[in-house]
């Protein structure tokens, strides 16, 4: 990858993509099996915490991963995230109580709190501005493939050789991700050695004000993702869809397809125009899902949602990098990922409350999601102003020079 030539698809780039695929598959392959495993420990009433605790820790760790990404380097942060996956995967078979399981699940969230932050900053360092979204889309494509293949791989291994073997394979996938990363060249200049003082986070280091706009869009658009994770399994069953994972297969397939077709779109036409299209399509997908009365309509909604997410994700990540200062790239990405985790977590929580295990409330939940997503479109059309960003950049640079 060379800023001058504009070349991005090099050996280093494909190694990073491969590491992402293995990492994503590692932590996601156990998701379908964890509810039954927790039930076997006597924790059937705590299934909702499997995603919640993981997401909570991921969000809490973002300010730390952002700061460390900007100080000790991108590669060490990525390695740390993958190593956490290795350790946690090996520890799951050793837990014998519900409390120990939930604590382990909580700390497992460190993995996604660190690896994506370092990965995005690494790509941004080595990719020219005019190909940033394209590169982010390709890296995200490999992550999506890992996320979609992981559950089927994990389920097949658990069925054939048992859940303990599945945990071990998960650890191997994560370890291979680490092995790939160790041989990669660091892109951060003027690195610092790790010191415990770097773990002290000031208020200004938690959030990067320059990226307020992508943070708002990320939060509003990922609210619906949390709702889908929570409600779709029951809604699929209610509509007679035997395979509860089919919805996610459809939206993953369309997300991958649109990334391949439009990988250069936001580099060519701009981040905001593409995000306007993505958020509007996402609102439409929520309406389609809300009015679904058959499996076919539900899967049609999944396809539209996948398209919207496939456009949204690389564009909003590239936009975050565009707006943030290079020296605070990790902080900027950390701020965006905090919004992502908050959106997913709150979307899951509130959708469960609004649904209340009552089938007649399915439509209501997704109509509310449509309105929340539509707020992102309204924000982009009528509220966001680039002048604010230019003013903030100038202010921050003056402060950094002591003026």
């Amino acid at each position: 990858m060379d800023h001058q030539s504009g070349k991005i698809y090099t050996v280093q780039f494909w190694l990073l993509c491969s590491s992402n695929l293995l990492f994503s598959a590692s932590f996601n392959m156990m998701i379908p099996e964890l509810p039954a495993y927790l039930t076997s420990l006597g924790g059937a009433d705590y299934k909702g915490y499997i995603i919640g605790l993981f997401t909570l820790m991921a969000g809490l760790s973002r300010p730390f991963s952002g700061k460390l990404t900007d100080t000790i380097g991108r590669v060490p942060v990525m390695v740390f995230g993958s190593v956490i996956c290795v350790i946690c995967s090996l520890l799951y078979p050793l837990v014998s109580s519900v409390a120990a399981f939930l604590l382990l699940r909580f700390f497992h969230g460190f993995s996604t709190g660190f690896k994506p932050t370092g990965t995005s900053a690494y790509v941004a360092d080595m990719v020219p501005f005019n190909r940033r979204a394209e590169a982010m889309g390709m890296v995200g494509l490999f992550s999506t493939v890992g996320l979609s293949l992981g559950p089927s791989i994990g389920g097949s291994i658990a069925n054939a050789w048992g859940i303990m073997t599945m945990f071990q394979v998960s650890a191997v996938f994560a370890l291979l991700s680490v092995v790939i990363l160790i041989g990669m060249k660091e892109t951060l200049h003027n690195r610092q050695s790790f010191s415990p003082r770097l773990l002290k986070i000031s208020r200004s280091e938690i959030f990067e004000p320059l990226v307020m706009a992508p943070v708002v869009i990320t939060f509003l658009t990922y609210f619906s993702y949390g709702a889908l994770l929570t409600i779709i399994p029951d809604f699929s069953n209610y509509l007679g869809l035997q395979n509860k994972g089919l919805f996610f297969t459809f939206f993953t397939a369309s997300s991958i397809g649109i990334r391949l077709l439009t990988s250069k779109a936001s580099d060519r036409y701009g981040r905001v125009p593409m995000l306007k299209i993505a958020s509007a399509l996402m609102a439409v997908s929520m309406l389609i899902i809300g009015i679904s009365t058959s499996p076919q309509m539900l899967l049609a909604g999944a396809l539209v949602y996948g398209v919207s997410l496939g456009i949204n994700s690389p564009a909003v990540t590239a936009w975050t990098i565009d707006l943030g200062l290079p020296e605070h790239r990790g902080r900027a990405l950390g701020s965006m990922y905090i919004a992502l985790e908050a959106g997913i977590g709150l979307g899951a929580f509130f959708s469960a409350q609004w649904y209340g295990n009552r089938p007649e409330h399915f439509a209501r939940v997704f109509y509310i999601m449509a309105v929340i997503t539509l707020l992102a479109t309204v924000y982009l059309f009528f509220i966001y102003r680039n002048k604010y960003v230019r003013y903030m950049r100038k202010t921050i640079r003056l402060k950094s020079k002591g003026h």
Side-chain angles (χ1 to χ4, degrees):
M1 290 176 282
D2 186 338
H3 271 282
Q4 299 302 319
S5 67
K7 184 179 180 182
I8 63 174
Y9 297 129
T10 64
V11 173
Q12 287 283 94
F13 182 84
W14 294 123
L15 285 174
L16 184 65
C17 288
S18 300
S19 175
N20 254 29
L21 189 153
L22 290 165
F23 171 77
S24 300
S26 170
F27 73 81
N28 219 43
M29 71 168 58
M30 62 180 67
I31 293 298
E33 307 302 324
L34 288 182
Y37 187 63
L38 180 57
T39 299
S40 71
L41 296 175
D45 294 335
Y46 299 94
K47 292 179 183 177
Y49 290 90
I50 292 174
I51 298 296
L53 289 174
F54 187 91
T55 303
L56 177 61
M57 175 53 85
L60 292 175
S61 64
R62 298 290 185 186
F64 298 94
S65 66
K67 182 174 182 178
L68 293 175
T69 295
D70 290 334
T71 51
I72 69 172
R74 319 322 193 181
V75 175
V77 168
M78 290 190 286
V79 169
F80 179 76
S82 293
V83 167
I84 290 294
C85 269
V86 176
I87 295 172
C88 289
S89 295
L90 294 175
L91 289 178
Y92 278 110
L94 303 181
V95 300
S96 56
S97 68
V98 174
F101 175 93
L102 295 177
L103 183 63
L104 180 59
R105 189 63 187 159
F106 181 64
F107 282 105
H108 199 168
F110 264 119
S111 60
T112 56
F114 274 72
K115 180 69 160 60
T117 305
T119 297
S120 297
Y122 189 95
V123 174
D125 289 344
M126 304 191 73
V127 173
F129 173 85
N130 64 340
R131 303 198 59 189
R132 190 169 283 164
E134 178 187 352
M136 291 297 176
M138 187 58 67
V139 172
L141 173 62
F142 275 73
S143 296
T144 301
V145 170
L147 290 172
S148 60
L149 291 180
S152 59
I153 294 173
S156 298
I157 293 172
N159 290 334
W161 296 288
I163 193 169
M164 299 307 171
T165 302
M166 185 272 293
F167 285 131
Q168 293 168 355
V169 173
S170 173
V172 170
F173 272 48
L175 183 60
L176 290 173
S177 175
V178 173
V179 170
I180 291 172
L181 292 170
I182 289 175
M184 297 188 68
K185 182 180 178 181
E186 178 57 56
T187 59
L188 178 68
H189 303 296
N190 302 318
R191 293 174 57 195
Q192 301 179 32
S193 299
F194 175 78
S195 169
R197 63 180 176 80
L198 293 176
L199 298 179
K200 183 179 180 181
I201 303 293
S202 65
R203 185 179 301 178
S204 63
E205 291 171 321
I206 296 176
F207 180 75
E208 176 55 69
L210 287 173
V211 299
M212 173 62 78
V215 162
V216 170
I217 297 304
T218 300
F219 176 76
L220 292 174
T221 52
Y222 275 87
F223 215 88
S224 60
Y225 188 69
L228 292 176
L229 290 174
T230 306
I231 306 298
I232 284 299
D234 283 358
F235 198 21
S236 297
N237 186 61
Y238 176 74
L239 294 178
L241 196 60
Q242 296 294 324
N243 186 344
K244 297 179 181 179
L246 199 57
F247 177 95
F248 298 99
T249 300
F250 268 63
F251 103 64
T252 299
S254 65
S255 178
I256 291 174
I258 200 66
R259 285 172 192 262
L260 292 173
L261 292 173
T262 64
S263 61
K264 301 179 182 179
S266 82
D267 288 329
R268 183 176 300 171
Y269 304 111
R271 319 304 189 200
V272 174
M274 296 307 297
L275 287 170
K276 288 176 181 177
I277 294 172
S279 58
L281 279 175
M282 192 172 291
V284 170
S285 73
M286 292 297 106
L287 290 176
I288 294 174
I289 295 170
I291 64 174
S292 293
T293 56
S294 67
Q296 292 77 17
M297 287 185 68
L298 182 65
L299 295 178
L303 289 174
V304 177
Y305 180 78
V307 169
S308 68
L309 195 64
I311 297 172
N312 177 283
S313 181
V316 79
T317 304
W319 195 26
T320 300
I321 296 166
D322 295 346
L323 297 180
L325 299 174
E327 60 268 30
H328 295 154
R329 190 161 280 162
R331 184 193 305 175
L333 289 162
S335 299
M336 185 204 73
Y337 283 121
I338 289 173
L340 183 147
E341 304 292 353
I344 294 175
L346 291 175
F349 175 79
F350 284 112
S351 64
Q353 300 301 310
W354 295 328
Y355 165 43
N357 293 314
R358 298 177 65 179
E360 64 269 25
H361 290 166
F362 281 129
R364 181 177 72 176
V365 171
F366 291 107
Y367 294 156
I368 295 173
M369 291 301 130
V371 172
I372 292 173
T373 306
L374 197 59
L375 290 176
T377 311
V378 172
Y379 178 86
L380 290 168
F381 270 101
F382 303 108
I383 300 175
Y384 171 70
R385 293 290 182 271
N386 196 43
K387 290 181 181 179
Y388 169 78
V389 176
R390 290 197 294 267
Y391 169 76
M392 287 299 297
R393 287 179 72 89
K394 182 178 179 181
T395 301
I396 291 173
R397 288 194 182 280
L398 286 174
K399 286 182 177 179
S400 67
K401 292 179 180 178
H403 292 173

